[in-house]
Amino acid sequence: MAADPQQDQRASRRGVLLGVGLAGLGGALAGCSTAAVPYGADEAGVAPGEVAAPSSTPMAGAPASAGGGMAGGGGMAGGGNAGGGMATGTLLGLTADIPVGGGVVFMSQKVVVTQPVKGVFKAFSAICTHVGCICNKVANGTIDCPCHGSEFKITNGAVVTGPASAPLPRRTISVADGKILLQ
Ligand code: FES
């Protein structure tokens, strides 16, 4: 009846690993929770999880074909919001860096921010829902995965081209003073 201490240790380790796994799953599920929102219903407007920039935000009006941006791993990305201002979150970049009709992939955060129409910003996980490659390009109205060619709409993350079958999960951002913050 005496407990085997080694077995206890293994069980405990399994518990820790399971906990980590579940935590990851929880994050994934949390990310997916917004996927339950029917896509297509909000393509033209601003829905929860999207941000309309203040009308005073300067924007040059880039051509609709613009896009394909990819932010590097360093710079201001990933540093958190050390300024102590009212806005909180991780600074991704500037609204002026996101082309209208296109988007930018922030590789460090695995997030893609798009601007389907001028002044409306949307964010999605850049992790492809096929088998997890990082989408690395935004072009011609889609967020593209380099591994097997899946493409997702910049408006709502919906699949345009497979093999992926699930949309890119939404990410929450806020825009303040021309800065995009990941929540
Ligand atoms: Fe993206 Fe396969 S992992 S298409």
Side-chain angles (χ1 to χ4, degrees):
M1 284 295 278
D4 176 359
Q6 267 192 332
Q7 194 175 18
D8 284 353
Q9 212 170 23
R10 281 198 300 273
S12 166
R13 197 175 302 129
R14 269 201 306 274
V16 169
L17 291 173
L18 182 62
V20 170
L22 288 176
L25 181 61
L29 288 175
C32 286
S33 65
T34 54
V37 175
Y39 284 96
D42 58 348
E43 282 190 39
V46 179
E50 297 144 17
V51 176
S55 57
S56 61
T57 301
M59 187 56 63
S65 60
M70 190 167 78
M76 58 189 170
N81 181 28
M86 283 175 57
T88 59
T90 301
L91 179 62
L92 287 175
L94 303 176
T95 54
D97 296 334
I98 313 298
V100 176
V104 172
V105 178
F106 295 92
M107 295 303 277
S108 297
Q109 293 82 7
K110 300 182 178 63
V111 168
V112 56
V113 177
T114 64
Q115 187 177 191
V117 294
K118 185 176 178 181
V120 176
F121 296 91
K122 303 191 178 188
F124 307 93
S125 165
I127 301 171
C128 181
T129 56
H130 179 219
V131 290
C133 289
I134 305 300
C135 296
N136 67 351
K137 192 173 82 172
V138 183
N140 303 317
T142 59
I143 302 159
D144 303 340
C145 178
C147 290
H148 312 101
S150 289
E151 297 178 340
F152 306 86
K153 279 188 185 179
I154 63 169
T155 53
N156 59 12
V159 175
V160 174
T161 304
S165 59
L168 294 177
R170 292 285 178 89
R171 296 297 304 269
T172 303
I173 55 171
S174 62
V175 173
D177 298 328
K179 298 184 180 105
I180 301 168
L181 301 170
L182 178 65
Q183 302 304 301

